[in-house]
Amino acid sequence: MIKVGIVGVGTVGQSVVDILQKNADIISARAGVDIIPTIGAVRSLDKKRAVDIKLTDNPNEVINSDVDIVVELMGGVEEPYKVVTQALKNGKSVVTANKALLAYHRYELQELAGNLPLFYEASVAGGIPIIGALRNGLSANHIESIVGILNGTCNYMLTKMIQEGVNYNEVLKEAQELGYAEADPTFDVGGFDAAHKLLILASIAYGIDAKPEDILIEGIDNISQTDVEFAKEFGYEIKLLGIAKKKDKGVELRVHPTMVKDNHPIAKVDGVMNAVSVVGDRVGQTMFYGPGAGGDATASAVVADIIEIARGNRGPMLGYKRGLEGEKLKLLNAKDIVTKYYIKLKVEDKSGVLAKVTNVFSENGISISSILQKPSKIQDRVRLLLTTHECKERDFISVVTKLKTLDCVEENLGFIRIEE
Amino acid sequence: MIKVGIVGVGTVGQSVVDILQKNADIISARAGVDIIPTIGAVRSLDKKRAVDIKLTDNPNEVINSDVDIVVELMGGVEEPYKVVTQALKNGKSVVTANKALLAYHRYELQELAGNLPLFYEASVAGGIPIIGALRNGLSANHIESIVGILNGTCNYMLTKMIQEGVNYNEVLKEAQELGYAEADPTFDVGGFDAAHKLLILASIAYGIDAKPEDILIEGIDNISQTDVEFAKEFGYEIKLLGIAKKKDKGVELRVHPTMVKDNHPIAKVDGVMNAVSVVGDRVGQTMFYGPGAGGDATASAVVADIIEIARGNRGPMLGYKRGLEGEKLKLLNAKDIVTKYYIKLKVEDKSGVLAKVTNVFSENGISISSILQKPSKIQDRVRLLLTTHECKERDFISVVTKLKTLDCVEENLGFIRIEE
């Protein structure tokens, strides 16, 4: 018999207990041993929980108990870090769904865990077994790219904006009413949640030890119906993507709204669903699709990890048993990203303006791929929507800066990166 | 160091050697040990191979050598069965990509393997790590259904027929010229290849020990442009699907061309790509997409298994360490399948015919969902295309038999099952 203790018995924690109890028939058959949840720690014992295990308000009681596996579902970073490190020191195996904890502490935790399993399938893309796919199923490949819809809230909002023409503020309000977005939605719509998940995937694929502060993160709060209409006209969908890309000299890691060609499989992933497309040098293109959040879907991944531990499988935490020196991959500076761009400008409606604007691009060695001019609500102004061929972020930003100095450019209304 | 021997050094075998050598940097880091291909057995030593390992024409030389892992890539059933059983008896771990071998012998091999790993990720859907997903990532779930595009040849042909209006015979010829279909295409277009793969997935999900002869298998050779046009008109795609579905009293296993609603993620999978959609009672709907064939993609899965073995992971071969008595799931008789149907009839073009035809359905308790009447090339004849609501296969077949006895029905041109 294997005993499981849970620190943080909220929605996911209650689902974990429920699955372990209600699906015990298949779980014990698949694991080869009975797996019993015995104790859970909660912040307040006053709140009623739908679980019939012993509850305590002291996490130490769980990690000092006779459980074999500690499941960490607390949220936050520093408090769970203490709980997980102490659990490992006590010789417990650990399962966590905590992407923020891993975004900051995965390498220390890997070292501390040593031969003890520390699994985290639920931390990225909820119920989709993408950690297993990357760590095991695609392990023969040099990973060329990972492109993921890693935040269901943003994908729900963008899908609504595109399919129903709803504005950002309206759709945010609706997402909050439905419980898809928090009262303070920054963590989701600002791209930080997706960035945490991307960093975890990038560790497995490339062994890169970066923190959220080190990478380019942009949210979806600047996306407007002008962008949506442009995207439709030119055959793109707009998605918040986490992107990891291997280049000659290193790896690009970035999270931003992206115009993606509507024939890419990831462009068809709508609503709260998540999906991760992985290209390997040998396997080619793969994609993994499913629910990225929700108590049961996330708990499904947590329990899968528990079963793996019960089976005696170890799998190196971050996918490597030896260092990744062979690849010598470094995180590329965000300014060195190479991609295509869409930019929207508000300019004066008179002759010669287009020439002045496009000159700035050509002077900086950036060639323009498409141009669309639309009437503006304001008299004597038009919207100028341009896309570029591939160029360096550094050069593009310098164009943006120079455009601001032109008299004829009244406002830079923002830009969106493009992936084909 | 771990030594690997390969029995059958064809396209996939050569890719396995190539990946182990060219991707040795990441493979040794991920496995924690160097993995070296040392010997391969081929049918004829005269044929030139692009590998620099020792070659023999005697498989026994491989399985009696000092290799730790034997990779079986021979094709066929009985010869590989002898090789794999002898390798296991010699204490070798085994990796196979051979779906036919597993469709017939997976339970004997599981018993024989005991604690030795016998892995087979490459046997289903090539480079897609669907075995790992089902055996590990989704192991907390009762699996409600598996729906897979498991044969790239059929999917390529159907995609062409639908997107370009090409007839079956033309597209088959083209697939043969491109090397997607064999000179004798029966194994692919007849659904047998997909059935082998479905049986392997059904073992992991349900522990069902069925053989190809036990399940419903229908190929795509009866699909015509009439069906394609009907499907388009009613919002369906036509796919050859392997379907496993848990019902109250057991599990349906079947392979047949299927009309599937065009908003289902699997409907959007085109060309030679494979995809498997798995619904779990807790995770909900997931889908796994990627290349189902090709030397490198298949070898990617073979090498992933080799790495798993090198890491010391065992994972029960068919997903269960104990019997599946808890679920008590049996294979349902094909006659007890419950689904919707599309049927096309050639009937006389006169009044009263529609009433006579629909009467046969209602007398057998089957209600009709939609009707489309199309002119036929032959005078005084029309095509009558009908779809039904859900009914038992047994009752539907009895309707088909009765329709044949009607004077007004000149010909039953076939039927296709529908999945929503």
Side-chain angles (χ1 to χ4, degrees):
Chain A
M1 188 180 71
I2 285 187
K3 290 184 187 173
V4 175
I6 299 164
V7 184
V9 192
T11 311
V12 176
Q14 291 175 52
S15 278
V16 168
V17 173
D18 194 54
I19 293 177
L20 285 173
Q21 292 174 339
K22 296 230 180 87
N23 285 6
D25 55 347
I26 45 161
I27 290 171
S28 67
R30 287 173 178 160
V33 58
D34 293 333
I35 300 176
I36 313 288
T38 56
I39 183 168
V42 293
R43 217 167 283 277
S44 160
L45 286 167
D46 300 336
K47 206 169 146 189
K48 190 144 173 64
R49 325 259 160 178
V51 291
D52 63 348
I53 56 172
K54 184 185 167 187
L55 291 179
T56 165
D57 56 7
N58 180 5
N60 289 319
E61 215 179 310
V62 174
I63 56 186
N64 295 328
S65 72
D66 65 345
V67 298
D68 305 282
I69 300 172
V70 170
V71 177
E72 184 277 305
L73 300 169
M74 303 170 75
V77 176
E78 294 316 320
E79 217 183 330
Y81 182 67
K82 281 180 209 151
V83 166
V84 169
T85 52
Q86 191 55 51
L88 291 169
K89 283 177 191 161
N90 290 2
K92 312 296 186 193
S93 301
V94 173
V95 175
T96 179
N98 190 329
K99 59 223 166 233
L101 169 68
L102 296 171
Y104 284 97
H105 294 298
R106 60 202 182 281
Y107 284 92
E108 296 108 283
L109 288 173
Q110 176 183 241
E111 194 161 327
L112 189 67
N115 286 322
L116 274 172
L118 197 178
F119 286 174
Y120 51 95
E121 182 61 79
S123 68
V124 180
I128 309 173
I130 181 64
I131 304 290
L134 212 47
R135 191 166 55 184
N136 311 328
L138 304 177
S139 59
N141 292 266
H142 288 107
I143 302 301
E144 293 180 350
S145 67
I146 302 171
V147 173
I149 294 175
L150 299 170
N151 184 278
T153 308
C154 290
N155 206 50
Y156 170 83
M157 290 174 62
L158 289 170
T159 303
K160 274 262 172 188
M161 287 175 71
I162 291 163
Q163 290 180 355
E164 299 174 22
V166 187
N167 274 320
Y168 176 82
N169 288 324
E170 265 177 79
V171 78
L172 173 60
K173 209 179 135 204
E174 194 183 313
Q176 285 169 325
E177 280 163 11
L178 285 166
Y180 292 158
E182 309 280 333
D184 175 1
T186 318
F187 190 65
D188 287 319
V189 301
F192 303 103
D193 172 75
H196 289 172
K197 294 165 178 169
L198 180 68
L199 286 168
I200 295 170
L201 297 179
S203 285
I204 303 172
Y206 305 110
I208 283 183
D209 182 8
K211 301 235 172 343
E213 299 78 56
D214 305 326
I215 70 169
L216 173 74
I217 306 175
E218 283 176 16
I220 62 167
D221 39 326
N222 270 325
I223 306 294
S224 72
Q225 282 300 323
T226 306
D227 307 323
V228 168
E229 280 160 31
F230 178 88
K232 277 185 186 165
E233 191 139 350
F234 284 80
Y236 294 106
E237 293 277 343
I238 303 177
K239 298 287 179 193
L240 181 80
L241 297 183
I243 298 174
K245 262 197 193 176
K246 190 175 161 182
K247 296 286 172 93
D248 277 351
K249 295 183 180 165
V251 176
E252 290 177 1
L253 293 184
R254 44 196 171 103
V255 173
H256 51 69
T258 313
M259 291 207 182
V260 56
K261 268 282 172 205
D262 55 14
N263 60 3
H264 190 288
I266 214 156
K268 296 165 185 160
V269 174
D270 289 334
V272 293
M273 300 306 272
N274 282 20
V276 185
S277 162
V278 182
V279 178
D281 64 343
R282 296 306 181 119
V283 72
Q285 182 165 47
T286 61
M287 193 178 79
F288 306 86
Y289 166 94
D296 269 8
T298 308
S300 162
V302 168
V303 175
D305 277 349
I306 293 172
I307 293 171
E308 279 300 278
I309 294 171
R311 283 171 172 170
N313 285 348
R314 293 294 166 260
M317 178 183 159
L318 295 174
Y320 291 89
K321 289 203 165 190
R322 291 180 187 165
L324 235 191
E325 292 73 16
E327 284 237 302
K328 289 201 186 71
L329 291 171
K330 278 182 202 159
L331 176 64
L332 289 174
N333 189 302
K335 295 270 187 307
D336 291 323
I337 286 167
V338 175
T339 188
K340 300 175 183 180
Y341 297 82
Y342 150 94
I343 182 169
K344 58 181 161 171
L345 303 167
K346 198 196 285 175
V347 299
E348 286 178 19
D349 187 11
K350 63 181 185 193
S351 69
V353 168
L354 190 57
K356 279 186 198 163
V357 167
T358 53
N359 263 345
V360 177
F361 282 88
S362 61
E363 280 163 17
N364 285 271
I366 298 177
S367 55
I368 288 166
S369 166
S370 64
I371 297 177
L372 184 68
Q373 185 172 314
K374 291 215 156 189
S376 169
K377 281 171 201 154
I378 306 151
Q379 220 190 341
D380 301 332
R381 298 287 176 276
V382 290
R383 294 210 168 169
L384 198 56
L385 313 175
L386 300 116
T387 65
T388 72
H389 286 289
E390 277 203 340
C391 62
K392 268 207 177 177
E393 178 106 355
R394 185 185 307 280
D395 298 330
F396 180 77
I397 297 296
S398 132
V399 164
V400 170
T401 312
K402 281 175 195 159
L403 285 173
K404 281 182 191 160
T405 68
L406 293 185
D407 286 344
C408 59
V409 174
E410 186 166 319
E411 207 181 339
N412 165 21
L413 298 165
F415 63 86
I416 302 177
R417 294 171 192 82
I418 299 173
E419 292 290 318
E420 297 294 333
Chain B
M1 187 180 74
I2 285 185
K3 289 183 187 172
V4 176
I6 300 165
V7 184
V9 192
T11 311
V12 177
Q14 291 175 53
S15 278
V16 168
V17 174
D18 194 55
I19 294 178
L20 285 174
Q21 292 174 338
K22 295 231 182 86
N23 285 5
D25 55 346
I26 45 162
I27 290 171
S28 67
R30 285 172 179 160
V33 59
D34 293 333
I35 300 176
I36 314 288
T38 56
I39 183 169
V42 293
R43 216 167 285 275
S44 159
L45 285 167
D46 300 336
K47 207 170 147 189
K48 189 144 174 66
R49 325 259 161 179
V51 292
D52 64 347
I53 56 171
K54 183 186 167 186
L55 291 180
T56 165
D57 56 6
N58 178 5
N60 289 320
E61 213 180 312
V62 175
I63 56 186
N64 295 326
S65 72
D66 65 345
V67 298
D68 307 282
I69 301 173
V70 170
V71 177
E72 183 277 304
L73 300 169
M74 304 170 74
V77 175
E78 295 315 319
E79 216 183 330
Y81 182 66
K82 279 181 211 150
V83 166
V84 169
T85 51
Q86 191 55 49
L88 291 168
K89 283 178 190 160
N90 290 2
K92 312 295 186 193
S93 301
V94 173
V95 175
T96 178
N98 189 330
K99 58 225 168 230
L101 169 68
L102 296 170
Y104 284 96
H105 293 297
R106 61 202 182 282
Y107 284 91
E108 296 108 283
L109 288 173
Q110 177 183 239
E111 195 161 327
L112 188 68
N115 286 322
L116 274 173
L118 197 176
F119 286 174
Y120 51 94
E121 182 61 79
S123 67
V124 181
I128 309 174
I130 181 63
I131 303 291
L134 212 48
R135 190 166 57 184
N136 311 327
L138 304 177
S139 59
N141 293 266
H142 288 106
I143 302 301
E144 293 180 351
S145 67
I146 302 171
V147 173
I149 293 175
L150 299 170
N151 184 278
T153 308
C154 289
N155 206 51
Y156 170 84
M157 290 174 61
L158 290 170
T159 303
K160 274 262 171 187
M161 287 176 70
I162 291 164
Q163 290 180 355
E164 299 173 21
V166 187
N167 275 321
Y168 176 82
N169 288 324
E170 265 176 78
V171 78
L172 173 59
K173 209 179 135 205
E174 193 183 314
Q176 285 169 325
E177 280 163 9
L178 285 167
Y180 292 159
E182 309 279 333
D184 175 3
T186 319
F187 190 66
D188 288 317
V189 302
F192 303 102
D193 172 76
H196 289 172
K197 294 165 179 170
L198 179 68
L199 287 168
I200 294 170
L201 297 179
S203 284
I204 304 173
Y206 305 111
I208 283 184
D209 183 7
K211 299 238 173 338
E213 299 78 56
D214 305 328
I215 70 169
L216 174 73
I217 306 174
E218 283 176 16
I220 63 167
D221 39 325
N222 270 325
I223 306 295
S224 73
Q225 282 299 326
T226 307
D227 307 324
V228 168
E229 280 161 31
F230 178 89
K232 276 186 186 165
E233 190 140 350
F234 284 80
Y236 294 107
E237 293 278 343
I238 304 177
K239 297 287 178 193
L240 181 81
L241 296 183
I243 299 174
K245 261 198 194 175
K246 191 176 162 182
K247 296 286 173 92
D248 278 353
K249 294 182 183 167
V251 175
E252 290 178 0
L253 293 185
R254 44 196 171 104
V255 173
H256 51 69
T258 314
M259 291 208 183
V260 55
K261 268 282 171 207
D262 55 14
N263 60 3
H264 190 288
I266 214 153
K268 296 166 185 160
V269 174
D270 288 335
V272 293
M273 300 305 272
N274 283 18
V276 185
S277 162
V278 182
V279 178
D281 64 343
R282 297 308 181 117
V283 73
Q285 182 166 46
T286 60
M287 193 178 79
F288 305 87
Y289 165 94
D296 269 8
T298 309
S300 161
V302 169
V303 175
D305 277 350
I306 293 172
I307 293 172
E308 279 301 278
I309 293 171
R311 282 171 173 170
N313 286 348
R314 293 294 168 259
M317 178 185 158
L318 295 174
Y320 292 90
K321 291 204 163 190
R322 292 180 187 166
L324 236 190
E325 291 74 15
E327 285 235 301
K328 287 201 188 72
L329 290 171
K330 278 183 203 158
L331 176 64
L332 289 173
N333 189 301
K335 295 268 186 309
D336 291 324
I337 286 168
V338 176
T339 189
K340 300 175 183 180
Y341 296 84
Y342 150 94
I343 183 169
K344 57 181 163 174
L345 303 167
K346 198 195 284 173
V347 299
E348 286 176 19
D349 187 12
K350 63 181 186 190
S351 70
V353 169
L354 190 59
K356 279 188 198 162
V357 168
T358 54
N359 261 348
V360 177
F361 283 87
S362 62
E363 279 163 18
N364 285 272
I366 297 178
S367 54
I368 287 166
S369 167
S370 65
I371 298 177
L372 184 68
Q373 186 172 312
K374 291 214 157 188
S376 170
K377 282 170 200 155
I378 307 151
Q379 221 189 344
D380 300 332
R381 298 288 176 275
V382 290
R383 293 212 167 167
L384 199 56
L385 312 175
L386 300 114
T387 66
T388 73
H389 286 288
E390 277 203 339
C391 62
K392 268 206 179 178
E393 178 105 356
R394 184 184 309 279
D395 298 330
F396 181 77
I397 296 296
S398 133
V399 164
V400 170
T401 312
K402 282 176 194 158
L403 286 173
K404 282 182 191 159
T405 67
L406 293 186
D407 285 344
C408 59
V409 174
E410 184 166 320
E411 204 182 343
N412 166 21
L413 298 165
F415 63 86
I416 301 178
R417 295 171 191 83
I418 299 172
E419 293 290 317
E420 297 293 334

